[in-house]
Amino acid sequence: MLVAACSVVAAGAVSAWLLVRSPGAGAPGPRPVRACDVALPVLERIYNGYVPGRSGDVLAAEQPEDAFGTRHSTPYYYTQHIPLVLYGPGFIRSGLRVERPVTMADVAPTLAELLHFDAFPRRDGSVLREALLPRSQRNGVPRLIFTLVWDGGGWDDLEQWPHAWPHLKHLMTRGVDSTDATDGSSPSITPSIHATLGTGAFPRHHGIADIKMRVHGRMVDAWQHGSPRYLRLETLADLWDLANGNRPLIGLEARDHWHLGMIGHGAAIPGADRDIAVLDALGRLRFTTNPRYYEMPPLRFNALGVLARAVRTVDRRDGALDGRWLGHPISGDDPKVRYTPAWSIYQTDRVIALLQRYGFGRDVMPDLFFTNYKTTDLAGHEWGMTTPEERQDLAEQDRQIPVLITRSTASWAGTATSRSSPQITVCNPHLPPPAAGT
Ligand SMILES: [Zn+2]
Protein backbone atom coordinates (compact mmCIF):
# COMPACT_ATOMS: atom_id res chain seq x y z
CA MET A 1 0.00 0.00 0.00
CA LEU A 2 2.84 2.35 0.84
CA VAL A 3 4.52 1.83 -2.50
CA ALA A 4 1.27 2.44 -4.35
CA ALA A 5 0.57 5.63 -2.42
CA CYS A 6 4.07 6.97 -3.05
CA SER A 7 3.73 6.30 -6.76
CA VAL A 8 0.48 8.21 -6.92
CA VAL A 9 1.90 11.16 -5.03
CA ALA A 10 4.98 11.25 -7.23
CA ALA A 11 2.98 11.10 -10.42
CA GLY A 12 0.68 13.82 -9.17
CA ALA A 13 3.55 16.11 -8.29
CA VAL A 14 5.19 15.76 -11.70
CA SER A 15 1.97 16.43 -13.59
CA ALA A 16 1.14 19.43 -11.46
CA TRP A 17 4.54 20.95 -12.06
CA LEU A 18 4.20 20.51 -15.84
CA LEU A 19 0.73 21.95 -15.92
CA VAL A 20 1.16 25.01 -13.79
CA ARG A 21 4.75 25.99 -14.45
CA SER A 22 4.91 29.69 -15.05
CA PRO A 23 7.85 30.41 -17.37
CA GLY A 24 10.16 33.11 -16.20
CA ALA A 25 8.25 33.68 -13.00
CA GLY A 26 10.58 31.48 -11.00
CA ALA A 27 7.86 30.08 -8.78
CA PRO A 28 5.47 27.30 -9.70
CA GLY A 29 1.79 27.98 -9.77
CA PRO A 30 -0.54 29.79 -12.16
CA ARG A 31 0.13 33.48 -12.35
CA PRO A 32 -2.88 35.72 -12.96
CA VAL A 33 -1.97 38.45 -15.41
CA ARG A 34 -3.72 41.77 -15.83
CA ALA A 35 -4.90 42.33 -19.39
CA CYS A 36 -2.87 45.53 -19.62
CA ASP A 37 0.31 43.53 -18.94
CA VAL A 38 -0.21 41.34 -21.98
CA ALA A 39 1.59 42.35 -25.18
CA LEU A 40 -0.76 44.26 -27.45
CA PRO A 41 -0.67 41.87 -30.45
CA VAL A 42 -1.56 38.99 -28.11
CA LEU A 43 -4.44 40.96 -26.66
CA GLU A 44 -5.63 41.95 -30.14
CA ARG A 45 -5.76 38.31 -31.24
CA ILE A 46 -7.81 37.38 -28.20
CA TYR A 47 -10.12 40.32 -28.91
CA ASN A 48 -10.47 39.37 -32.59
CA GLY A 49 -11.41 35.83 -31.63
CA TYR A 50 -13.86 36.71 -28.90
CA VAL A 51 -17.54 36.39 -29.78
CA PRO A 52 -19.78 37.80 -27.03
CA GLY A 53 -22.30 35.19 -25.93
CA ARG A 54 -20.54 32.36 -27.78
CA SER A 55 -16.98 32.40 -26.41
CA GLY A 56 -16.12 31.15 -22.94
CA ASP A 57 -16.52 33.31 -19.85
CA VAL A 58 -12.90 32.59 -18.94
CA LEU A 59 -10.31 32.48 -21.73
CA ALA A 60 -7.10 30.51 -21.40
CA ALA A 61 -4.14 32.20 -23.06
CA GLU A 62 -1.57 29.52 -22.42
CA GLN A 63 1.98 30.38 -23.33
CA PRO A 64 3.77 28.11 -25.80
CA GLU A 65 6.13 26.89 -23.11
CA ASP A 66 3.10 25.72 -21.15
CA ALA A 67 1.33 24.17 -24.11
CA PHE A 68 3.25 20.97 -23.66
CA GLY A 69 2.09 18.04 -25.71
CA THR A 70 0.37 18.52 -29.01
CA ARG A 71 -1.66 21.73 -28.91
CA HIS A 72 -1.15 24.67 -31.24
CA SER A 73 -4.03 27.07 -30.59
CA THR A 74 -2.51 29.96 -28.69
CA PRO A 75 -2.54 33.75 -29.23
CA TYR A 76 1.28 33.83 -29.18
CA TYR A 77 3.44 34.42 -32.23
CA TYR A 78 5.06 31.00 -31.96
CA THR A 79 1.86 29.24 -33.00
CA GLN A 80 0.24 32.17 -34.86
CA HIS A 81 3.06 32.73 -37.38
CA ILE A 82 2.20 31.08 -40.70
CA PRO A 83 3.50 31.02 -44.24
CA LEU A 84 1.27 32.93 -46.66
CA VAL A 85 2.30 32.63 -50.30
CA LEU A 86 0.67 33.99 -53.44
CA TYR A 87 1.66 32.68 -56.82
CA GLY A 88 0.26 33.39 -60.28
CA PRO A 89 2.26 34.65 -63.25
CA GLY A 90 0.37 37.43 -64.99
CA PHE A 91 -1.44 38.38 -61.78
CA ILE A 92 0.93 38.18 -58.83
CA ARG A 93 4.32 39.83 -58.59
CA SER A 94 7.36 37.58 -58.64
CA GLY A 95 10.17 37.47 -56.11
CA LEU A 96 8.61 39.92 -53.67
CA ARG A 97 8.69 39.67 -49.88
CA VAL A 98 5.94 41.43 -47.97
CA GLU A 99 7.35 42.17 -44.53
CA ARG A 100 4.50 44.12 -42.96
CA PRO A 101 2.09 42.21 -40.70
CA VAL A 102 -0.74 40.50 -42.57
CA THR A 103 -3.38 38.03 -41.41
CA MET A 104 -5.70 35.36 -42.72
CA ALA A 105 -8.39 38.06 -42.95
CA ASP A 106 -6.43 39.64 -45.81
CA VAL A 107 -6.85 36.61 -48.09
CA ALA A 108 -10.51 37.08 -49.11
CA PRO A 109 -10.23 40.78 -50.02
CA THR A 110 -7.05 40.02 -51.98
CA LEU A 111 -8.80 37.29 -53.94
CA ALA A 112 -11.74 39.68 -54.49
CA GLU A 113 -9.33 42.19 -56.00
CA LEU A 114 -7.97 39.49 -58.31
CA LEU A 115 -11.56 38.86 -59.40
CA HIS A 116 -12.15 42.63 -59.93
CA PHE A 117 -15.01 42.07 -57.49
CA ASP A 118 -15.34 45.60 -56.17
CA ALA A 119 -18.65 44.87 -54.44
CA PHE A 120 -16.91 42.70 -51.85
CA PRO A 121 -17.53 44.52 -48.54
CA ARG A 122 -14.76 46.06 -46.45
CA ARG A 123 -14.25 43.94 -43.33
CA ASP A 124 -11.33 43.26 -40.99
CA GLY A 125 -8.90 42.30 -43.74
CA SER A 126 -7.45 44.42 -46.50
CA VAL A 127 -6.05 43.79 -49.95
CA LEU A 128 -2.42 42.70 -50.18
CA ARG A 129 -2.10 45.25 -52.93
CA GLU A 130 1.68 45.28 -53.14
CA ALA A 131 1.56 41.57 -53.99
CA LEU A 132 -0.59 42.06 -57.07
CA LEU A 133 0.27 43.48 -60.45
CA PRO A 134 -1.76 46.61 -61.23
CA ARG A 135 -5.02 45.70 -62.94
CA SER A 136 -3.86 47.21 -66.22
CA GLN A 137 -0.88 44.81 -66.26
CA ARG A 138 -2.77 41.67 -65.34
CA ASN A 139 -3.86 39.01 -67.80
CA GLY A 140 -7.49 39.87 -67.16
CA VAL A 141 -9.12 37.82 -64.42
CA PRO A 142 -7.94 34.32 -63.38
CA ARG A 143 -10.17 31.48 -64.48
CA LEU A 144 -9.47 29.52 -61.33
CA ILE A 145 -8.19 30.62 -57.95
CA PHE A 146 -6.93 27.61 -56.04
CA THR A 147 -6.44 28.00 -52.30
CA LEU A 148 -4.35 25.40 -50.52
CA VAL A 149 -4.15 25.20 -46.73
CA TRP A 150 -1.56 23.18 -44.81
CA ASP A 151 -3.27 22.48 -41.52
CA GLY A 152 -0.92 22.71 -38.56
CA GLY A 153 1.80 23.77 -41.02
CA GLY A 154 2.86 27.02 -39.35
CA TRP A 155 6.40 28.38 -39.13
CA ASP A 156 6.97 26.40 -35.93
CA ASP A 157 6.64 23.26 -38.04
CA LEU A 158 8.56 24.61 -41.07
CA GLU A 159 11.47 25.75 -38.90
CA GLN A 160 11.54 22.40 -37.16
CA TRP A 161 12.05 20.69 -40.54
CA PRO A 162 13.78 23.28 -42.75
CA HIS A 163 14.70 20.82 -45.52
CA ALA A 164 11.31 19.13 -45.82
CA TRP A 165 9.54 21.73 -47.99
CA PRO A 166 11.73 22.67 -51.01
CA HIS A 167 8.74 23.19 -53.31
CA LEU A 168 7.06 25.70 -51.01
CA LYS A 169 10.41 27.45 -50.65
CA HIS A 170 10.75 27.65 -54.41
CA LEU A 171 7.23 29.01 -54.71
CA MET A 172 8.04 31.70 -52.15
CA THR A 173 10.85 32.94 -54.38
CA ARG A 174 8.74 32.78 -57.56
CA GLY A 175 5.67 34.50 -56.11
CA VAL A 176 5.01 36.70 -53.11
CA ASP A 177 6.08 35.56 -49.66
CA SER A 178 4.50 37.27 -46.67
CA THR A 179 7.09 36.89 -43.95
CA ASP A 180 5.01 38.32 -41.08
CA ALA A 181 1.67 36.56 -41.59
CA THR A 182 -0.41 35.34 -38.67
CA ASP A 183 -3.80 33.74 -38.18
CA GLY A 184 -4.82 36.99 -36.52
CA SER A 185 -7.22 35.65 -33.87
CA SER A 186 -7.24 33.27 -30.94
CA PRO A 187 -8.02 30.44 -30.48
CA SER A 188 -6.28 29.65 -33.76
CA ILE A 189 -8.54 26.72 -34.33
CA THR A 190 -9.90 25.03 -37.44
CA PRO A 191 -13.51 26.31 -37.80
CA SER A 192 -12.62 29.87 -36.76
CA ILE A 193 -9.57 30.40 -38.95
CA HIS A 194 -11.06 28.78 -42.05
CA ALA A 195 -14.11 31.05 -41.68
CA THR A 196 -11.74 34.01 -41.46
CA LEU A 197 -10.08 32.87 -44.67
CA GLY A 198 -13.49 32.62 -46.38
CA THR A 199 -15.04 35.86 -45.12
CA GLY A 200 -12.14 38.28 -44.68
CA ALA A 201 -13.36 38.93 -41.13
CA PHE A 202 -12.35 37.75 -37.68
CA PRO A 203 -14.52 35.53 -35.45
CA ARG A 204 -15.87 38.54 -33.54
CA HIS A 205 -17.65 39.43 -36.79
CA HIS A 206 -18.18 36.07 -38.52
CA GLY A 207 -19.34 34.42 -35.29
CA ILE A 208 -17.46 31.09 -35.40
CA ALA A 209 -15.80 31.26 -31.99
CA ASP A 210 -14.41 27.76 -31.59
CA ILE A 211 -14.98 24.10 -32.37
CA LYS A 212 -17.63 23.91 -29.66
CA MET A 213 -19.38 27.11 -28.71
CA ARG A 214 -22.35 28.31 -26.74
CA VAL A 215 -25.39 29.46 -28.69
CA HIS A 216 -28.46 30.55 -26.73
CA GLY A 217 -27.15 28.72 -23.69
CA ARG A 218 -26.56 25.43 -25.50
CA MET A 219 -23.17 23.95 -26.39
CA VAL A 220 -23.13 23.24 -30.13
CA ASP A 221 -20.63 22.28 -32.79
CA ALA A 222 -19.63 25.30 -34.90
CA TRP A 223 -20.88 23.44 -37.99
CA GLN A 224 -23.49 21.26 -36.31
CA HIS A 225 -24.70 18.63 -38.81
CA GLY A 226 -22.74 20.41 -41.55
CA SER A 227 -25.05 23.41 -41.35
CA PRO A 228 -23.79 26.98 -41.96
CA ARG A 229 -26.41 28.50 -39.64
CA TYR A 230 -23.88 29.89 -37.15
CA LEU A 231 -21.73 31.65 -39.75
CA ARG A 232 -22.91 35.25 -39.57
CA LEU A 233 -21.21 36.64 -42.68
CA GLU A 234 -21.40 35.60 -46.28
CA THR A 235 -18.08 34.44 -47.67
CA LEU A 236 -16.31 35.75 -50.74
CA ALA A 237 -17.42 32.56 -52.52
CA ASP A 238 -21.05 33.12 -51.46
CA LEU A 239 -21.08 36.69 -52.74
CA TRP A 240 -19.09 36.02 -55.91
CA ASP A 241 -21.43 33.16 -56.84
CA LEU A 242 -24.57 35.24 -56.20
CA ALA A 243 -23.23 38.27 -58.07
CA ASN A 244 -22.71 36.08 -61.14
CA GLY A 245 -25.99 34.18 -61.23
CA ASN A 246 -24.46 31.03 -59.68
CA ARG A 247 -22.33 30.49 -62.76
CA PRO A 248 -18.97 30.32 -60.96
CA LEU A 249 -17.98 26.90 -59.67
CA ILE A 250 -17.30 26.87 -55.95
CA GLY A 251 -15.59 23.77 -54.53
CA LEU A 252 -14.11 22.39 -51.34
CA GLU A 253 -12.21 19.19 -50.55
CA ALA A 254 -11.37 18.82 -46.87
CA ARG A 255 -11.41 16.50 -43.91
CA ASP A 256 -14.71 17.52 -42.31
CA HIS A 257 -17.35 20.21 -41.90
CA TRP A 258 -15.08 22.41 -39.75
CA HIS A 259 -13.52 23.59 -43.03
CA LEU A 260 -16.77 24.71 -44.66
CA GLY A 261 -16.07 28.34 -43.72
CA MET A 262 -13.77 28.54 -46.72
CA ILE A 263 -16.73 28.26 -49.12
CA GLY A 264 -19.63 29.32 -46.88
CA HIS A 265 -23.38 28.85 -46.94
CA GLY A 266 -24.03 26.95 -50.16
CA ALA A 267 -27.76 26.85 -50.87
CA ALA A 268 -28.70 28.20 -47.43
CA ILE A 269 -28.76 31.69 -48.94
CA PRO A 270 -31.96 32.49 -50.88
CA GLY A 271 -31.24 32.35 -54.59
CA ALA A 272 -27.94 30.50 -54.17
CA ASP A 273 -27.08 27.08 -55.56
CA ARG A 274 -25.50 24.14 -53.82
CA ASP A 275 -21.72 24.38 -53.91
CA ILE A 276 -19.43 21.37 -54.14
CA ALA A 277 -18.19 20.15 -50.76
CA VAL A 278 -16.52 16.76 -50.42
CA LEU A 279 -15.82 16.04 -46.77
CA ASP A 280 -13.96 13.13 -45.32
CA ALA A 281 -16.21 11.35 -42.80
CA LEU A 282 -14.13 11.15 -39.65
CA GLY A 283 -13.24 7.68 -38.51
CA ARG A 284 -15.13 6.03 -41.33
CA LEU A 285 -13.91 5.01 -44.74
CA ARG A 286 -16.25 7.15 -46.79
CA PHE A 287 -16.93 10.72 -47.89
CA THR A 288 -19.89 12.86 -47.03
CA THR A 289 -21.59 16.24 -47.47
CA ASN A 290 -24.75 17.95 -46.26
CA PRO A 291 -26.92 17.57 -49.36
CA ARG A 292 -29.31 20.21 -48.17
CA TYR A 293 -26.79 22.98 -48.84
CA TYR A 294 -23.93 21.35 -50.73
CA GLU A 295 -23.40 18.64 -53.28
CA MET A 296 -20.79 16.00 -53.99
CA PRO A 297 -20.39 13.55 -56.83
CA PRO A 298 -20.91 9.87 -56.04
CA LEU A 299 -17.52 8.82 -54.69
CA ARG A 300 -16.45 5.37 -53.71
CA PHE A 301 -13.81 5.33 -51.05
CA ASN A 302 -10.53 4.19 -52.56
CA ALA A 303 -12.03 4.18 -56.05
CA LEU A 304 -9.79 2.43 -58.56
CA GLY A 305 -7.35 1.43 -55.84
CA VAL A 306 -5.67 4.84 -55.73
CA LEU A 307 -5.34 4.77 -51.97
CA ALA A 308 -4.03 1.21 -52.00
CA ARG A 309 -1.34 2.26 -54.49
CA ALA A 310 -0.41 5.28 -52.36
CA VAL A 311 -0.12 3.03 -49.31
CA ARG A 312 2.25 0.71 -51.18
CA THR A 313 4.34 3.67 -52.34
CA VAL A 314 4.78 4.94 -48.80
CA ASP A 315 5.21 1.48 -47.30
CA ARG A 316 8.11 0.53 -49.55
CA ARG A 317 10.09 3.75 -49.00
CA ASP A 318 12.00 2.17 -46.14
CA GLY A 319 12.98 -0.71 -48.40
CA ALA A 320 10.48 -3.25 -47.06
CA LEU A 321 6.90 -3.76 -48.22
CA ASP A 322 5.83 -4.96 -44.79
CA GLY A 323 2.54 -3.15 -44.06
CA ARG A 324 4.29 -0.75 -41.70
CA TRP A 325 5.20 2.93 -41.85
CA LEU A 326 7.74 4.11 -39.24
CA GLY A 327 6.70 1.10 -37.22
CA HIS A 328 2.96 1.83 -37.41
CA PRO A 329 0.60 -0.44 -39.34
CA ILE A 330 -0.40 1.15 -42.65
CA SER A 331 -3.31 -0.07 -44.73
CA GLY A 332 -5.93 1.38 -47.05
CA ASP A 333 -8.59 -0.29 -44.89
CA ASP A 334 -7.55 1.42 -41.67
CA PRO A 335 -8.97 4.93 -40.95
CA LYS A 336 -5.60 5.84 -39.45
CA VAL A 337 -4.19 5.90 -42.96
CA ARG A 338 -5.26 9.56 -42.78
CA TYR A 339 -2.25 10.19 -40.53
CA THR A 340 0.26 8.99 -43.11
CA PRO A 341 1.79 10.49 -46.27
CA ALA A 342 -0.36 8.10 -48.33
CA TRP A 343 -3.36 10.26 -47.54
CA SER A 344 -1.86 13.36 -49.19
CA ILE A 345 -1.07 11.40 -52.35
CA TYR A 346 -4.64 10.12 -52.39
CA GLN A 347 -6.07 13.58 -51.64
CA THR A 348 -4.35 15.13 -54.65
CA ASP A 349 -5.95 12.47 -56.80
CA ARG A 350 -9.40 13.34 -55.43
CA VAL A 351 -8.85 17.07 -55.90
CA ILE A 352 -7.81 16.61 -59.52
CA ALA A 353 -10.77 14.32 -60.14
CA LEU A 354 -13.12 16.99 -58.79
CA LEU A 355 -11.56 19.75 -60.89
CA GLN A 356 -11.86 17.61 -63.99
CA ARG A 357 -15.35 16.34 -63.33
CA TYR A 358 -16.87 19.79 -62.87
CA GLY A 359 -14.58 21.64 -65.28
CA PHE A 360 -13.04 24.12 -62.86
CA GLY A 361 -11.19 26.81 -64.78
CA ARG A 362 -12.48 25.60 -68.10
CA ASP A 363 -14.52 28.65 -69.11
CA VAL A 364 -13.91 32.36 -68.67
CA MET A 365 -16.12 32.64 -65.58
CA PRO A 366 -13.67 32.60 -62.65
CA ASP A 367 -14.08 29.65 -60.27
CA LEU A 368 -12.91 29.21 -56.68
CA PHE A 369 -11.54 25.98 -55.24
CA PHE A 370 -10.34 25.40 -51.69
CA THR A 371 -8.61 22.44 -50.09
CA ASN A 372 -7.02 21.61 -46.75
CA TYR A 373 -4.18 19.12 -46.38
CA LYS A 374 -4.42 17.77 -42.87
CA THR A 375 -1.70 15.21 -42.25
CA THR A 376 0.68 17.76 -40.70
CA ASP A 377 -2.01 18.64 -38.18
CA LEU A 378 -2.98 15.05 -37.43
CA ALA A 379 0.61 13.84 -37.02
CA GLY A 380 1.40 16.84 -34.82
CA HIS A 381 -1.50 16.04 -32.52
CA GLU A 382 -0.82 12.31 -32.50
CA TRP A 383 2.96 12.13 -32.20
CA GLY A 384 4.19 15.72 -31.78
CA MET A 385 5.78 18.22 -34.13
CA THR A 386 9.35 17.03 -33.60
CA THR A 387 8.80 13.44 -34.70
CA PRO A 388 9.82 11.68 -37.95
CA GLU A 389 6.10 11.12 -38.62
CA GLU A 390 5.56 14.90 -38.78
CA ARG A 391 8.59 15.39 -41.02
CA GLN A 392 7.43 12.75 -43.48
CA ASP A 393 3.89 14.15 -43.62
CA LEU A 394 5.20 17.67 -44.19
CA ALA A 395 7.55 16.48 -46.94
CA GLU A 396 4.72 14.64 -48.68
CA GLN A 397 2.42 17.65 -48.60
CA ASP A 398 5.24 19.63 -50.12
CA ARG A 399 5.76 17.00 -52.83
CA GLN A 400 2.10 17.38 -53.78
CA ILE A 401 2.55 21.07 -54.68
CA PRO A 402 4.09 20.52 -58.14
CA VAL A 403 1.77 17.58 -58.72
CA LEU A 404 -1.24 19.78 -58.03
CA ILE A 405 -0.20 22.58 -60.32
CA THR A 406 0.86 20.31 -63.15
CA ARG A 407 -2.18 18.07 -63.06
CA SER A 408 -4.75 20.78 -62.39
CA THR A 409 -3.64 22.95 -65.26
CA ALA A 410 -3.19 19.96 -67.55
CA SER A 411 -6.82 19.08 -66.90
CA TRP A 412 -8.04 22.28 -68.48
CA ALA A 413 -9.38 20.83 -71.67
CA GLY A 414 -5.95 19.80 -72.84
CA THR A 415 -4.66 23.34 -73.26
CA ALA A 416 -0.95 24.03 -73.22
CA THR A 417 0.52 24.27 -69.75
CA SER A 418 3.81 25.84 -70.70
CA ARG A 419 3.03 29.02 -68.79
CA SER A 420 2.57 27.20 -65.54
CA SER A 421 5.95 26.24 -64.26
CA PRO A 422 5.79 23.04 -62.24
CA GLN A 423 5.84 24.41 -58.75
CA ILE A 424 2.49 25.84 -57.67
CA THR A 425 -0.14 27.29 -56.08
CA VAL A 426 -2.15 29.59 -54.09
CA CYS A 427 -3.33 31.13 -57.33
CA ASN A 428 -3.14 29.19 -60.55
CA PRO A 429 -1.96 31.06 -63.59
CA HIS A 430 -4.42 32.23 -66.18
CA LEU A 431 -4.32 30.07 -69.24
CA PRO A 432 -5.55 30.87 -72.74
CA PRO A 433 -9.04 29.56 -73.53
CA PRO A 434 -9.15 26.08 -75.01
CA ALA A 435 -8.89 25.91 -78.76
CA ALA A 436 -12.18 25.25 -80.54
CA GLY A 437 -13.08 21.61 -80.53
CA THR A 438 -10.77 20.58 -77.69
ZN1 LIG B 1 -4.83 21.08 -34.86
Side-chain angles (χ1 to χ4, degrees), residues 72 151 377 381:
H72 58 90
D151 205 306
D377 179 70
H381 284 298

Side-chain angles (χ1 to χ4, degrees), residues 158-210:
L158 301 190
E159 286 172 357
Q160 177 69 36
W161 304 110
H163 306 298
W165 40 281
H167 297 293
L168 179 63
K169 209 170 287 174
H170 190 59
L171 200 67
M172 287 170 170
T173 63
R174 297 288 300 272
V176 175
D177 176 22
S178 293
T179 58
D180 192 11
T182 55
D183 290 326
S185 71
S186 179
S188 50
I189 209 154
T190 298
S192 309
I193 305 302
H194 287 81
T196 296
L197 190 157
T199 60
F202 290 123
R204 72 193 183 94
H205 290 131
H206 66 57
I208 302 296
D210 210 323

Side-chain angles (χ1 to χ4, degrees), residues 332-411:
D333 300 322
D334 179 354
K336 284 211 105 175
V337 70
R338 291 178 174 89
Y339 291 67
T340 75
W343 193 256
S344 294
I345 299 171
Y346 179 44
Q347 180 164 355
T348 297
D349 209 77
R350 295 198 307 275
V351 167
I352 299 301
L354 274 177
L355 295 177
Q356 288 177 339
R357 180 184 179 101
Y358 287 94
F360 276 84
R362 211 167 274 168
D363 62 21
V364 292
M365 173 57 69
D367 302 324
L368 299 173
F369 191 87
F370 300 83
T371 189
N372 173 294
Y373 277 58
K374 197 85 176 175
T375 58
T376 39
D377 179 70
L378 295 176
H381 284 298
E382 183 78 3
W383 296 291
M385 187 184 72
T386 59
T387 60
E389 287 86 346
E390 179 72 15
R391 184 181 64 76
Q392 289 206 14
D393 277 332
L394 177 61
E396 190 59 61
Q397 286 182 186
D398 188 69
R399 242 175 251 128
Q400 295 309 308
I401 287 180
V403 181
L404 276 169
I405 198 166
T406 305
R407 291 187 61 195
S408 65
T409 52
S411 75

Side-chain angles (χ1 to χ4, degrees), residues 41-348:
V42 173
L43 214 52
E44 274 176 346
R45 292 179 197 124
I46 294 172
Y47 174 69
N48 288 337
Y50 180 70
V51 184
R54 291 187 175 182
S55 294
D57 296 318
V58 176
L59 301 181
E62 60 192 304
Q63 300 200 14
E65 297 89 338
D66 278 345
F68 80 98
T70 55
R71 284 172 48 78
H72 58 90
S73 300
T74 84
Y76 293 92
Y77 200 72
Y78 178 72
T79 53
Q80 286 271 333
H81 190 200
I82 52 171
L84 179 61
V85 183
L86 298 173
Y87 174 74
F91 300 94
I92 311 283
R93 291 188 190 278
S94 177
L96 179 77
R97 287 163 72 112
V98 173
E99 294 179 353
R100 68 179 173 90
V102 300
T103 73
M104 283 291 262
D106 297 331
V107 174
T110 302
L111 302 191
E113 168 58 29
L114 277 171
L115 295 168
H116 298 192
F117 186 32
D118 298 329
F120 186 68
R122 274 192 70 86
R123 292 172 174 165
D124 298 315
S126 54
V127 179
L128 257 145
R129 203 166 295 280
E130 65 269 53
L132 310 182
L133 291 169
R135 279 195 192 184
S136 60
Q137 294 176 26
R138 287 183 218 155
N139 289 345
V141 178
R143 291 162 58 174
L144 169 64
I145 298 180
F146 187 103
T147 301
L148 166 67
V149 175
W150 280 1
D151 205 306
W155 274 108
D156 50 354
D157 200 25
L158 301 190
E159 286 172 357
Q160 177 69 36
W161 304 110
H163 306 298
W165 40 281
H167 297 293
L168 179 63
K169 209 170 287 174
H170 190 59
L171 200 67
M172 287 170 170
T173 63
R174 297 288 300 272
V176 175
D177 176 22
S178 293
T179 58
D180 192 11
T182 55
D183 290 326
S185 71
S186 179
S188 50
I189 209 154
T190 298
S192 309
I193 305 302
H194 287 81
T196 296
L197 190 157
T199 60
F202 290 123
R204 72 193 183 94
H205 290 131
H206 66 57
I208 302 296
D210 210 323
I211 288 175
K212 292 270 188 197
M213 56 190 194
R214 180 177 48 189
V215 177
H216 304 308
R218 228 163 34 92
M219 286 304 287
V220 297
D221 186 289
W223 289 85
Q224 190 114 318
H225 311 305
S227 162
R229 79 180 69 165
Y230 301 127
L231 181 63
R232 288 175 173 157
L233 294 178
E234 287 152 344
T235 61
L236 168 68
D238 286 334
L239 296 170
W240 175 246
D241 208 10
L242 275 175
N244 290 283
N246 293 316
R247 283 177 297 141
L249 291 169
I250 308 294
L252 169 73
E253 209 290 346
R255 189 182 74 151
D256 53 54
H257 57 225
W258 293 337
H259 304 84
L260 281 164
M262 290 197 279
I263 59 168
H265 294 78
I269 298 173
D273 64 348
R274 292 187 305 160
D275 298 324
I276 301 144
V278 176
L279 308 174
D280 172 15
L282 282 178
R284 284 166 292 168
L285 296 175
R286 67 182 182 86
F287 298 103
T288 183
T289 198
N290 178 348
R292 191 164 172 193
Y293 307 116
Y294 312 99
E295 68 167 74
M296 63 174 258
L299 270 181
R300 272 190 311 116
F301 198 89
N302 196 10
L304 306 176
V306 175
L307 177 58
R309 276 204 302 278
V311 164
R312 280 198 298 278
T313 299
V314 172
D315 183 351
R316 68 163 71 92
R317 279 180 186 162
D318 61 1
L321 195 60
D322 54 3
R324 302 194 85 77
W325 169 68
L326 292 174
H328 312 291
I330 181 170
S331 150
D333 300 322
D334 179 354
K336 284 211 105 175
V337 70
R338 291 178 174 89
Y339 291 67
T340 75
W343 193 256
S344 294
I345 299 171
Y346 179 44
Q347 180 164 355
T348 297

